[in-house]
Amino acid sequence: MDLITTNIVGYLQSVMRMATPIILASLGGMFTARVGIINFALEGIMIMGAFMGAYGSYLTGSPWFGLLLGMLGGLLMSLILGFTAITAKVNQVVASTGINIFGIGMTSYLLNVVYGIGAKPSTVESFSTVPIPVLSEIPFLGPMLFDQTVLTYLTFLLVPICWYVVYKTPFGLSIRAVGDHPAAADSVGISVPKTRYLATMLSGILGGMGGAFLSIGTLSIFMEKLTSGRGYLAWATITVGKWNPFGIFGASLFFGAADALQMRLQALSVNFPYQFLLMIPYLMTMLALVGLIGKTEGPHSMGKPYVKGDK
């Protein structure tokens, strides 16, 4: 295999690796979006999932336990969002911003508690790649799709599963009804608060998985501000993907490709300030959103707390 081919294969593997946490968090955020909740808290959910994932692996030496703990961490953060947005009916953007600040600050504090102030965090057991025989040998696409970690394969499965749940099940019908016409859903016996809480909890679990992937699926370590804005990127991906799991998958690959590109350019020591290279995924996000202004329309109750009796 020549150098150019090797670089292309490595880049394609990186695309999928960079896209995986965004896919997971975006699928979770899709559920909250579908019930009408603005979930800017994905950053806080992911950072807590990343810390808890690394901490669980640190305690037991098992990345699977770390994944479970990461999902729990994301779930707890989502319950804060649920209480503030659904029960207390606080402005959802303000509540989400507070959760993000809390998540970043709390994980930084917990990091110092676990390892000591100023101490360097130790590496933990993480998920290794599991090549699928024969399929992983397919030129270019094989390494990208079939030479990944178990978490990435699980992410592949979750995309059609989430699509089926949203579009082919009674629960999915309830989610879409609550997001578009909560009063009408309430009038036929669908509990708006319960449906919104369940969707928010799903968001936390999937967002926690996305965060855990960062710490125990790629780096084998947790560092402060590890998510680096990926939670916000995930919310943008939901919009670009038009609130559809398959659209989200495609948009996540697009942003994953941009993220992998900036990492490759840094590795190749391109004579360009690395700070500008780090901006590439976020610039691509803004360009994608600008191109979609006026072409997408989210659930009608987006961002609006529901009070029984509202029309």
Side-chain angles (χ1 to χ4, degrees), residues 48-123:
M48 186 59 73
F51 173 80
M52 296 297 283
Y55 184 57
S57 184
Y58 170 76
L59 285 177
T60 64
S62 169
W64 286 105
F65 184 79
L67 177 63
L68 290 175
L69 216 57
M71 293 164 65
L72 177 61
L75 174 62
L76 293 176
M77 294 292 280
S78 71
L79 286 175
I80 299 174
L81 174 65
F83 176 78
T84 55
I86 302 167
T87 303
K89 296 177 173 59
V90 175
N91 181 285
Q92 294 168 13
V93 175
V94 174
S96 294
T97 302
I99 291 169
N100 290 337
I101 295 172
F102 170 74
I104 292 170
M106 179 57 71
T107 52
S108 296
Y109 168 74
L110 292 174
L111 186 65
N112 287 326
V113 169
V114 173
Y115 295 105
I117 297 176
K120 183 179 179 181
S122 59
T123 57

Side-chain angles (χ1 to χ4, degrees), residues 1-16 134-148:
M1 187 179 295
D2 59 48
L3 183 59
I4 294 177
T5 303
T6 300
N7 281 322
I8 292 175
V9 169
Y11 172 71
L12 291 175
Q13 283 182 303
S14 297
V15 168
M16 198 64 246
V134 182
L135 294 178
S136 62
E137 301 299 324
I138 298 173
F140 301 112
L141 288 181
M144 179 182 180
L145 300 177
F146 305 112
D147 191 4
Q148 301 288 347

